[in-house]
Structures are given as structure tokens and as C-alpha cells.
Amino acid sequence: MYDVLVIGAGPAGSTAAKVLADRGLRVLLAEKCALPRYKSCSGVLIKRSMDLVKLYFGENVPLSVTCEPAENRGMIFTNDCGREYRFAQEGLNVWRSSFDNWLAEKAGESGAQVRDCTTVVACEEKDGFVEVTLQGKETFVEKAAYVLDCEGVVGAVRRRLRKETLECITTYQTFNEGTIDLDPHYFYAYLQPELSEYDAWFNVKDNLLVLGVSVKDPARIPLFYDRFLGYMRERHNLRINRQTKEEKWLMPHVRPGCRIDFGMGRVLFTGEAAGFLNPMGEGISAGMESGFLAANAVAAHFEDPRRVCDVYRDSAAGLKSYMERQWDLVAGMAGTFREMAF
Ligand SMILES: Cc1cc2nc3c(=O)[nH]c(=O)nc-3n(C[C@H](O)[C@H](O)[C@H](O)COP(=O)(O)OP(=O)(O)OC[C@H]3O[C@@H](n4cnc5c(N)ncnc54)[C@H](O)[C@@H]3O)c2cc1C
């Protein structure tokens, strides 16, 4: 019997597992992929994420998880009228496989049992515990007093429990050898409705030019991606010599009001599984903070499961309000996000 079974070794899950293990609880962190696992991402750690790493993990993000240029100097975004906004901020440019693996290792060093290649396929609350079915080389069952579901956007366990699908946006990005007249230290987001159905973006990782679009209807990826390439060629002198990789992923489709599902009873949702995501797809900070807050609620009220979810929800009010303010800010700058204004 574990005290807490954490599903998913992303920023939310590894933070939660570390915090719980640090408090002396018996923790299993189950990750369906082999670690280090791949995650499609721009890999920008904003200052808030760097500060949370320092706060929860007691050290700075190591340079070994960064890619070139290691320093991210902020975000520049162009709104639906073509106006440019520049937000200078200290940040880091990381490979998610390395960064997330480092977080999982830290959870392990704190005493959490980390099991990769292990998928949680079901969990069911019983009288006084949660019964969790896992699939590795074989299928087996574990019991835990609590489950923290940190499984990210796909959220298959959450979907089974809630009997509803989290609404998603599809992301598509390519990695390319080539040249462009933009500063590689910045993350660029483009909010013109003709370039994407959410946002389009550009950044640089280890000298590769990363170009992406996000869409509500995946069938429209080629249309928007071609238009975005055309725009970048014309405005920023983009030249692509060779595409080295392409990938599709999902992110939560955040709606007005920023609905968050905190979970119920002995099963709590965190990170993207709960619906946390800031504008321009910044989700690492919210993942880590919600993982921390859920873990805190469990550790502080372990013997009182009726209070745990409410305590988590209340303690995350500030995080939710930060997310709402971020969306409100973007809504004030771009008509494409006006529906998100409060
Ligand atoms: C294209 C793109 C670019 C992005 N760029 C940025 C960025 O630059 N900066 C930023 O802050 N955010 C960015 N994000 C968002 C960020 O990646 C996510 O918000 C963040 O990873 C969420 O963390 P999480 O821990 O909730 O979930 P995840 O990081 O998705 O981790 C969930 C983990 O759970 C595992 N899992 C899933 N189901 C199961 C199961 N049933 N059993 C066991 N394990 C399971 C998964 O394999 C995964 O390892 C981007 C997202 C996308 C799609």
C-alpha cells in the first residue's frame, strides 16, 4: 500500500512526488514512457518556472538540460493587427526530455519510487483507499491512500473517471536547418487569425529553427503552416535548407473562465490534466505549482480525505487567478483572444 501514487513524470508529477517523498510519505511515481521521455515543447522556462525549481527542488536548473542558446530573454508577440509587443524577461531554453528527466531523478533521490514504462490504466476509489491498475511488462494492481493524476493533456485516466474528454488544440511544429533574421534568444508568437487558429510560433533550439502552428481542426494544419512559412519568408527572410523533424501534439483548449478540475475524494488532478495552461502554451510553471499544492494538501490532511480536495482547490486560488490574469492580458492585446477577457 502506497501513501500516494502519482501518475506521470512531467513537471507536475515529479514535483508532487518529490514534495511528498521529502515529507516522508511512501510514493510511487508511475510513468508510461521510458525515461527520459520525449515531450513536444518549445522548452522555454520562464522566470517563474526557474524560481519554482529553486523553491521546490532547492537548486537551480542545471545547464546540462539546456540547449543553444541556453538563455531565453523573453517573448515577442505580434497581435492580430500586426502590432509587436516585447516582454523582456530572464529565462532558459531547455530540452524537455533532459529537464523532465532531471526532475524525475530528483524525485527519486528524495525517496519516491520511480517506475517508467508503466501505464496506469484505471483507478477506482474504494473504502479508504484507491485501487490502481497498472500495465508494465504485465498488468498488476496497487493500492494507495491517494492518487495524484498528473498525466498531462491526454488524460485517459481522468477521462475514464469523469466520462468526458478534455477539449484540446492540436499543435504542429517542425525543426529545420536554415537561416532567419530574428534573435534566437527570444520566443516569437504570432496571433494573426490567418496564420493559425490559436497561435503560431518561432524559436531556436541547438541551431534548429522551430516553426509551429496550433489549430482546432487538425485537417487545417497544412493550410496554416504553409501560410505561416510564407509570412516568415516575407517578413523575416526565413530560408529553410532541410526539415529534420516534424511533430504533432495536443494542449488543453482553455475557455473563458479558465475552468479547472481539481479532482474528487482521494484522486486529485494537477497540471494539464486539471486544465492548467497559461497563454502561448506556457504550462511548466502551472504544472509544477499545482503539483506542489496538491501534494501539500495531501501531506497536510492525510488522515482527513474529505478535506484534501477542498484544501487543494483553495490553496490553488492564487494560481488560477494568475492564469486568468494572463489570459486577460492577452485578450487586451489581441482581438483573437477577446473572448478570454474578464
Ligand atoms: C508544442 C508545445 C509547446 C510548449 N511550449 C512550452 C514552453 O515553451 N514552456 C512551457 O512552460 N510550457 C510549454 N508547453 C506546455 C507544457 O509542455 C505543458 O503544459 C506541461 O508539460 C504540462 O505538465 P504536466 O506535468 O501537466 O504534463 P506532461 O508534461 O504532459 O507530463 C505528463 C506525463 O504523464 C505521462 N502519462 C500520461 N498518461 C499516463 C498514464 N496513464 N500512466 C502513466 N503515465 C502517464 C506522460 O507520458 C507524461 O510524461 C508546450 C506545449 C506544447 C504542446
Side-chain angles (χ1 to χ4, degrees), residues 112 188 241:
Y188 295 82
N241 301 330

Side-chain angles (χ1 to χ4, degrees), residues 1-2 13 62-63 89 167 170 185 190 258 262 306 330 336:
M1 173 99 169
Y2 288 95
L63 279 181
Q89 198 190 55
E167 204 185 344
T170 302
H185 293 91
Y190 300 88
C258 301
F262 292 95
R306 279 166 310 172
V330 174
T336 30

Side-chain angles (χ1 to χ4, degrees), residues 212-240:
V213 293
S214 45
V215 294
K216 293 170 187 162
D217 176 2
R220 305 188 75 187
I221 288 172
L223 170 75
F224 284 110
Y225 182 70
D226 283 353
R227 279 197 204 150
F228 183 46
L229 287 195
Y231 174 88
M232 296 301 269
R233 275 189 208 108
E234 196 182 304
R235 299 291 170 103
H236 301 296
N237 212 13
L238 168 71
R239 298 276 174 276
I240 292 181

